[in-house]
Amino acid sequence: MSGNFEALPGGGAAVSLDEVEVSILRSLAVQMLELIGPGDEPAEGEDPLAALFQDGPSEPPSDPALARLFPDAYGKPGAEAADEDPELRAASAEFRRFTENDLRARKREDALAVVRSLDGLVHDGRAGGRLELTAEESRHWLGALNDLRLTIGTRLDVTDEDEGSGLYRLPDGDPRKPMVMAYLWLGILQETLIDTLIS
């Protein structure tokens, strides 16, 4: 797989993707949209402004991947609620209530931007080619790539100590191998996209 972004004049980025790469990225972005869930659209006749100020959830998600995407603002990462200070739990719940809906909306926008730009690479029923992103599209892609890596890393139980571990040298028959390969490839995409945005 390729996956090296290059800087474009004006702050954008470009990468060449073949049909398989487009398919993988699009599939992962769609799965991310499904994981995050639909947005809360105002009911018919409901004031859209009031819907903007609707409270979000106050409890962390039970799915470990969603908990990684929407972590508590206070306390130790991965700490059991019973082990935490009740004041920190209350502060985290309050913070989540006012921020999670916006964070979910942003993550949906990021994943949708990936799907839309990849759909633009489909010509005559075939996907692939040189993808050119504006600076704003590049920022959406960076957010989506980060979310995808966090999700896959959580599903694989990747930790900071796993660098150079056996997880990256799995035999071809291991069912985790495709996820590990996707995780590593997304890391290359993310790293080269960051480099283009800061150069």
Side-chain angles (χ1 to χ4, degrees):
M1 290 189 172
S2 60
N4 291 315
F5 275 97
E6 300 168 357
L8 289 177
V15 64
S16 293
L17 299 169
D18 64 30
E19 191 167 4
V20 172
E21 293 167 331
V22 169
S23 176
I24 291 170
L25 282 169
R26 191 180 189 291
S27 175
L28 290 172
V30 168
Q31 289 176 54
M32 177 61 62
L33 288 166
E34 291 169 359
L35 178 66
I36 293 170
D40 294 328
E41 295 296 322
E44 190 173 325
E46 185 179 331
D47 179 9
L49 186 58
L52 280 175
F53 294 102
Q54 181 178 340
D55 287 350
S58 58
E59 294 296 319
S62 58
D63 181 319
L66 284 174
R68 184 70 176 98
L69 293 174
F70 306 104
D72 277 335
Y74 306 103
K76 298 174 191 164
E80 293 292 322
D83 296 338
E84 290 184 23
D85 181 324
E87 289 181 21
L88 287 179
R89 279 199 320 266
S92 287
E94 189 74 358
F95 186 82
R96 179 179 299 280
R97 191 165 65 95
F98 291 114
T99 61
E100 187 169 313
N101 285 345
D102 289 340
L103 186 55
R104 279 183 184 266
R106 194 194 81 220
K107 290 180 182 300
R108 269 191 297 277
E109 287 173 19
D110 291 345
L112 276 170
V114 169
V115 171
R116 288 181 183 129
S117 56
L118 291 172
D119 286 349
L121 280 182
V122 177
H123 306 286
D124 300 322
R126 296 194 56 115
R130 183 173 162 88
L131 177 68
E132 295 190 358
L133 304 172
T134 65
E136 182 178 351
E137 289 169 332
S138 296
R139 286 188 290 276
H140 284 297
W141 265 73
L142 190 56
L145 291 171
N146 186 60
D147 291 343
L148 289 169
R149 287 195 77 236
L150 286 174
T151 301
I152 293 172
T154 301
R155 297 288 192 235
L156 290 170
D157 291 324
V158 172
T159 64
D160 291 339
E161 293 79 35
D162 287 329
E163 287 302 319
S165 76
L167 184 64
Y168 301 132
R169 294 184 297 278
L170 294 174
D172 289 341
D174 192 300
R176 298 170 296 168
K177 180 87 178 221
M179 282 180 62
V180 171
M181 297 304 293
Y183 178 79
L184 296 173
W185 179 54
L186 291 170
I188 293 167
L189 284 172
Q190 184 180 22
E191 184 178 334
T192 59
L193 183 54
I194 289 170
D195 289 345
T196 67
L197 295 177
I198 61 175
S199 62

